[in-house]
Amino acid sequence: MHLRACLPLALLSLCLPCNSSQIPWTSPSTKSTTLVDALNADPDYSSLLYLLQRARLIPTLNRLNGSTFFAPTNEAIKRHSLTNSLWRSVLEDGYDYVPDNVQEQLRQQLFYHLLNYTLSGVPAEPDVQVHKSLLFPRKPFEPPSRDPPPSPPWMPLPGGTLGGEPQRLRLAAHGQVANVGVDAFGKGGAKIIKGIQDAGNGILLGIADVLEPPADMATVISQYTSVSYFQKIMTPEIMARLNSTSELTLFLPVDEAWDALDHVERLYLESEFATDDLRRILDMHAVVQDHVTWSDAFGPALNLTTVEGTNLDIVVTPEGTKIKDANLVQPDIYASNGVLHLVSSLLLPPNALQLTAEKYLLALNCTKFVSLLHSVDLTQLINNTDTKYTILAPRDDIFLFGEPELPERGSEELKRLLQYHFIPGRWTPNKLKNGTLLETALQEPGLNGGRQVLPIQVNSDGKKSADKGIRFGDAGVIGDPIEVNNTLIYFVSRPLVPPSDALQTALPSLDLSAFLAAVFSTSKAELLRETPSTSLLIPHNQAFKRLGLLVSAHLLAASSKDDLENVILHHALNTVEYAQSLQNGSQHTFATLEGTDVKFDRLTNGTSFISSSGGWAGLQAELYPRDLLTQTGVIHELSDILIPRSVKLTVGKLVKAAKGSTMATLVNKAGFDWILNGTTPPEGSHWANESYGSAGWTLLCPLDDAFKDYNLTQLYSDLEGLTRIVTQHLIPSPPTSFKSKEAEQHPTNNNRPLVLDDATYSTIHSASSAYGDIVFQQRSDSKEYVVGIKGARGTKGEADHARVLSWGRSTTGGGTGGVIQIDRLLIPYQPSWWNEYGAPSAVGGFGMLVICAFFYGVRMSSEAPAVEETRVGAAESVKSFIAGGFGGVAAVLVGHPFDLTKTRLQTAAPGAYTGAIDVVKKTVARDGITGLYRGMVPPLLGVTPIFAVSFWAYDTSKQLIFALTPDRKSESLSVAELALAGFLSAVPTTLVTAPVERAKVLLQVQGQGGSERKYKGVTDVLKHLYKEGGMRSIFRGTGATLARDGPGSAAYFAAYEVTKKALTPAGSSPSELNLSAIIIAGGTAGVAMWALAIPPDVLKSRIQSAPTGTYSGLLDCARKTIAQDGVRALWKGFGPAMARAFPANAATFLGVEFSRKVLDGLF
């Protein structure tokens, strides 16, 4: 066999000798000159001839010499065109369809039907013959070219994708016939249906089907069901590599081989993210050399090197062929760019594929999370097996019902969010502690490149980790964590969103909205958003009210923007301080963006307070560590607003905030402009010499509307009157600390310039007027504060009191003082002559007339002669009654300061007073000397009937004892009988004593400890008590009063009689007036009485002063008193009582004895 001279010599090597085992073909029926003539002569090949013409292969057929042409019949071509669009379009469309200039694809397919040698017969043995066709596969032109071909189109040039080798074609016997194009086992192919035709330069073999040239490698793989798993995991990229690689020898494992992989690895390979592993697996099974390795090249021992660099040892034995440790299942599956061999197992070296976190995440339904990581190129976080990480991964079901609002795929925002799900280190549940902050993989520019932290919450009901409820930020943990090499995976209930800017973070907290609104009203919002590494301390909304409404009004005014901005920046620390460092750190002072420092004070109970660099004395805020994370640091909360020293809150600024421009004008005109400016008095001025230089000032500032009824022109022109008005409203505040009752309970409640709870203050006007002092009180009904001129009366409150509307403290004058806004102008008070002198004189004169009339009536009645014995007895009773009344008045005048001190000690809260002296000092400091006689009117009004009834009842009781003992031997009473008479005297006395004591106690205790002044006098007390509970309320404590006065009166009268008799000189009668004996006996009687009466007196005072329902009775009061304050509480006030007992009762008996002497002289 040979080609004509125009063919390349290389093709001559393709000739194969006839095999002796072949069955000879039958003689042809006709003899033609060329293959073309033979085709033309047989109408069954008309379609084939047409295709050859279109493919321009007629010259090629004519030039062949000794060839074999497997010629498909018309029927075969027709059937093939039904599934092959190229053939169909060529046959049907004629010259209208020209896919390329030379019909390259069609011609290549026809070349596959040609051998460059002549077969002598069909194989008779079941063995498969392998022949080389004239098809040299090559990569098609992309796109198809219309340019002339680089060589004549009829030339089947060697080369191409098989390393210069032509595509192979198998031939196998099927009984008495043969099939061409079979597989390695002789199956399939096209049946030879027409006998041999000798065409002169070759032979024709008619076949029943068109021979389809082997497709590219990926297509070939897709045609075999035994490698369906590889088809499943084959990605477009792998397909492209398979099809674009020439001289490819591929050893592909069958489906069963893949079962050797870990389940997680298989799930990973089936995902869209396994490209790297698939590429490595492919490269470990692929050999690319300068030739294709068909199975006939397998020697007894052949070693091939894969693309990955691994070695494949091929051993051929009679039992079969081994590729490394795998069996060769099916050899030589032809492809256009190589050959495919099927093997029984994977050809992977040990540990070739590592189980990474990514593979586990995909296997455990976190494909969405992995997909997002791939979109932002963060796969190193889930594939690096050397670095330790804790991964917080949301499963796919989190996204099942609509994807949460996430940043756009591939964006920097999404990258930040995903980095926030990775925590360096392996944090097992046992290592996690509640309240800790863990650093994440997110490195924030707002933290100067530092790592953003994530808060951890751990709720443990037991000691085992399985009992712990763990939350990372706002996401809960679902199930148990999974350990993968150096990685720990927690499955979280939602994606974690990294912190936003500080203002955006604080915005959802409604309790911080007031401060945020203030920030947005200034130009500092962006500064707080963008300044890196800051800690923002945001006060609660209530802080603006606690600051004082006038201070808040000033800061929020448009004209005070500079002050407001300084205040805002004073709440921003220029370092990131998390709660842990603030509560447990050693640092106490921190710089702010405003430029000054704040100071932290940590108490032993865990509470922290922050003091600002400025403000008034004692200004501080309680810190609530919250750890609200931001892009630039952290946010904590405060109870109050901090004032830096750069903000000067003067009285003038607060007056402007109080809408008191008219009052400011008055102050200026009066020469007190230095008070408004917060400076010291002008040097050499009158005020500079009055020791006011270091004092703060509180100005009572009426609203501008308060002046609408005044003639301002006249007011401004009267400088002296104007000055009196201004001085009535100016209160000097020495630089000393003071606290209201709210401030005592809450250290941060110190926003008032003055204590307003039942307090009296001197104004500048006090130096020139007895009515310059002012008094603050809180109304019991509305709870609002009022201020009035002390001692003013007769004006019906029209000009001497005003309602307190608001206040604000100043930061000048040592941080004391400020402005109190009131609704009315306080006009200095000057009482009329009648109010000052007339009314007191009239009351005193009327009292004297009543007393004289009483004594005159008694004397006139004593002069009548009738029924003398009866009148004498009645006269003695009247004398005892009147003498007792005078004794009571004397007792009150001497003993009331002691009694007030005793009552306040008994009823005050623990710690209110350190002792009796402390009560006296605080009472005098608050109310003056007259304060010691507060509540004296009730005993004065009740003392006459009380002591009168007491001494009358005592004499009557003695007569009753005489009457009940007619056979007595002694005309004088024994000590026991005297004590009994004293006890009986307490019974009728209690009916008068109980309501009087009730009113006295309530008047004495009001105002102590900052409590409100509820009652104006005795009548007001009794009126309130009757409205509160009727006569029962008025007589509350009657039993306790009798428990005190019964034993006390017994000791009282018995001690007096015994002591007086013992002190009477021999030969004298006890009835004779002896001054020293009376004083000593009376004092001894008082001491004896109060030695017994103190415990029941404490209980009585508490029962009578407590709110209704506090105690159910005497025993309940005793039980609660001992439980709360101890047994010693029953002797509270013992010192003042003893100090009062001797002088007061000495005065009592002096009054009794002297008045009795006078009365004896009268009748």
Side-chain angles (χ1 to χ4, degrees), residues 130-441:
V130 178
H131 299 279
K132 297 181 179 180
S133 71
L134 283 179
L135 171 61
F136 290 86
R138 61 187 69 249
K139 296 178 182 178
F141 297 110
E142 292 291 344
S145 173
R146 291 182 176 271
D147 296 332
S151 58
W154 53 84
M155 297 295 288
L157 296 177
T161 57
L162 296 179
E165 290 288 316
Q167 188 58 272
R168 297 190 173 196
L169 186 64
R170 296 188 188 93
L171 184 65
H174 279 240
Q176 295 299 314
V177 296
N179 282 16
V180 65
V182 298
D183 61 16
F185 303 108
K187 297 180 181 180
K191 185 178 181 180
I192 300 175
I193 59 174
K194 298 188 73 167
I196 188 170
Q197 286 184 286
D198 187 359
N201 64 340
I203 62 172
L204 288 178
L205 295 173
I207 57 176
D209 292 285
V210 174
L211 297 178
E212 188 71 39
D216 52 55
M217 185 66 74
T219 304
V220 170
I221 291 172
S222 66
Q223 295 169 352
Y224 284 80
T225 58
S226 59
V227 290
S228 60
Y229 185 76
F230 187 78
Q231 298 168 15
K232 178 180 179 180
I233 64 177
M234 186 166 52
T235 63
E237 181 182 346
I238 297 298
M239 291 179 61
R241 289 195 66 194
L242 289 172
N243 294 337
S244 63
T245 303
S246 301
E247 296 90 27
L248 175 62
T249 301
L250 181 62
F251 298 89
L252 188 61
V254 296
D255 289 344
E256 293 77 9
W258 300 90
D259 294 336
L261 291 177
D262 189 278
H263 173 67
V264 172
E265 181 67 39
R266 291 193 62 177
L267 289 175
Y268 173 67
L269 292 177
E270 294 167 14
S271 73
E272 59 181 304
F273 312 107
T275 302
D276 289 341
D277 273 15
L278 286 174
R279 185 186 301 114
R280 294 185 68 240
I281 292 174
L282 177 63
D283 290 345
M284 291 181 201
H285 291 77
V287 177
V288 178
Q289 298 174 327
D290 57 357
H291 62 277
V292 177
T293 306
W294 284 279
S295 62
D296 57 7
F298 295 168
L302 176 65
N303 185 274
L304 299 177
T305 302
T306 66
V307 175
E308 184 70 13
T310 58
N311 293 324
L312 299 180
D313 295 324
I314 302 176
V315 179
V316 179
T317 65
E319 290 78 17
T321 301
K322 284 277 189 179
I323 313 297
K324 207 171 183 181
D325 295 327
N327 295 322
L328 183 62
V329 176
Q330 182 174 350
D332 295 334
I333 301 174
Y334 301 146
S336 65
N337 58 327
V339 65
L340 173 65
H341 304 291
L342 302 185
V343 293
S344 62
S345 61
L346 292 165
L347 307 177
L348 300 176
N351 300 320
L353 301 176
Q354 291 186 332
L355 291 177
T356 62
E358 178 180 16
K359 296 176 182 179
Y360 271 91
L361 289 171
L362 291 170
L364 296 170
N365 299 320
C366 295
T367 56
K368 182 68 176 180
F369 180 63
V370 174
S371 173
L372 295 174
L373 289 170
H374 276 266
S375 74
V376 292
D377 196 23
L378 287 178
T379 53
Q380 73 277 6
L381 294 176
I382 52 177
N383 286 323
N384 189 334
T385 58
D386 297 328
T387 306
K388 295 181 180 180
Y389 272 111
T390 298
I391 303 175
L392 311 177
R395 280 196 170 106
D396 292 340
D397 54 1
I398 303 299
F399 306 93
L400 186 60
F401 299 102
E403 182 175 327
E405 292 186 6
L406 296 177
E408 184 179 353
R409 293 175 66 89
S411 63
E412 281 298 318
E413 291 79 5
L414 179 61
K415 188 173 185 178
R416 287 186 64 250
L417 182 143
L418 294 175
Q419 287 173 328
Y420 201 50
H421 290 73
F422 291 83
I423 303 173
R426 293 177 77 254
W427 290 90
T428 61
N430 290 331
K431 292 182 179 180
L432 297 176
K433 305 298 180 183
N434 186 49
T436 57
L437 298 174
L438 299 183
E439 290 187 341
T440 67

Side-chain angles (χ1 to χ4, degrees), residues 1076-1090:
S1076 60
I1078 293 173
I1079 291 175
I1080 294 174
T1084 302
V1087 170
M1089 174 184 175
W1090 285 106

Side-chain angles (χ1 to χ4, degrees), residues 954 961 968 973-984 1050-1051 1054-1055 1058:
Y954 174 63
I961 292 173
R968 58 185 300 111
L973 297 177
S974 67
V975 175
E977 290 172 328
L978 289 173
L980 176 60
F983 185 92
L984 293 175
V1058 171

Side-chain angles (χ1 to χ4, degrees), residues 990-1004:
T990 300
L991 298 177
V992 180
T993 304
V996 172
E997 289 276 330
R998 173 94 154 112
K1000 180 194 73 171
V1001 167
L1002 289 177
L1003 285 173
Q1004 285 178 334

Side-chain angles (χ1 to χ4, degrees), residues 500-707:
S500 56
D501 66 74
L503 301 185
Q504 187 65 35
T505 300
L507 202 56
S509 300
L510 296 180
D511 200 26
L512 308 179
S513 58
F515 186 82
L516 292 179
V519 171
F520 287 123
S521 70
T522 68
S523 61
K524 301 302 180 182
E526 287 304 313
L527 180 65
L528 295 181
R529 278 195 180 102
E530 298 174 358
T531 303
S533 298
T534 56
S535 300
L536 196 57
L537 311 176
I538 302 184
H540 294 162
N541 292 346
Q542 192 69 15
F544 283 90
K545 181 178 179 181
R546 289 156 61 87
L547 188 64
L549 294 182
L550 296 185
V551 177
S552 297
H554 164 71
L555 292 177
L556 298 177
S559 58
S560 307
K561 185 167 292 186
D562 289 344
D563 281 354
L564 178 60
E565 289 180 348
N566 285 332
V567 169
I568 289 171
L569 295 182
H570 197 56
H571 289 76
L573 309 183
N574 61 9
T575 56
V576 179
E577 302 295 337
Y578 298 113
Q580 181 73 15
S581 63
L582 289 178
Q583 293 173 323
N584 302 322
S586 58
Q587 187 173 354
H588 290 268
T589 303
F590 298 91
T592 68
L593 296 184
E594 178 264 340
T596 58
D597 297 343
V598 293
K599 181 182 178 183
F600 281 70
D601 293 308
R602 306 176 184 94
L603 305 185
T604 55
N605 62 1
T607 306
S608 296
F609 289 94
I610 302 179
S611 301
S612 61
S613 64
W616 47 80
L619 176 61
Q620 59 181 357
E622 184 175 354
L623 172 69
Y624 306 117
R626 291 291 185 263
D627 277 343
L628 297 177
L629 304 177
T630 71
Q631 282 182 348
T632 55
V634 68
I635 294 175
H636 302 294
E637 298 177 13
L638 297 179
S639 64
D640 292 86
I641 294 174
L642 304 175
I643 306 295
R645 59 173 171 262
S646 59
V647 175
K648 304 297 183 182
L649 296 175
T650 63
V651 172
K653 290 181 179 180
L654 298 178
V655 168
K656 183 177 180 181
K659 300 178 181 179
S661 58
T662 304
M663 188 63 186
T665 303
L666 294 180
V667 173
N668 276 312
K669 287 183 173 294
F672 293 100
D673 53 308
W674 49 273
I675 292 180
L676 297 178
N677 298 330
T679 59
T680 57
E683 189 174 348
S685 67
H686 166 71
W687 305 109
N689 300 326
E690 293 290 334
S691 301
Y692 288 131
S694 60
W697 294 93
T698 298
L699 174 65
L700 303 179
C701 180
L703 290 166
D704 288 337
D705 287 347
F707 293 89

Side-chain angles (χ1 to χ4, degrees), residues 803-841:
R803 289 187 304 118
V804 174
L805 303 178
S806 60
W807 53 77
R809 289 190 69 169
S810 65
T811 60
T812 56
T816 61
V819 172
I820 297 178
Q821 184 187 48
I822 56 179
D823 69 338
R824 183 180 294 171
L825 185 66
L826 299 179
I827 300 299
Y829 175 72
Q830 182 60 43
S832 63
W833 179 89
W834 170 252
N835 285 331
E836 193 167 7
Y837 304 109
S841 300

Side-chain angles (χ1 to χ4, degrees), residues 21-25 120-124 129 171-174 176-179 192:
S21 64
Q22 293 176 338
I23 302 174
W25 294 103
S120 59
V122 66
Q129 295 181 359
L171 184 65
H174 279 240
Q176 295 299 314
V177 296
N179 282 16
I192 300 175

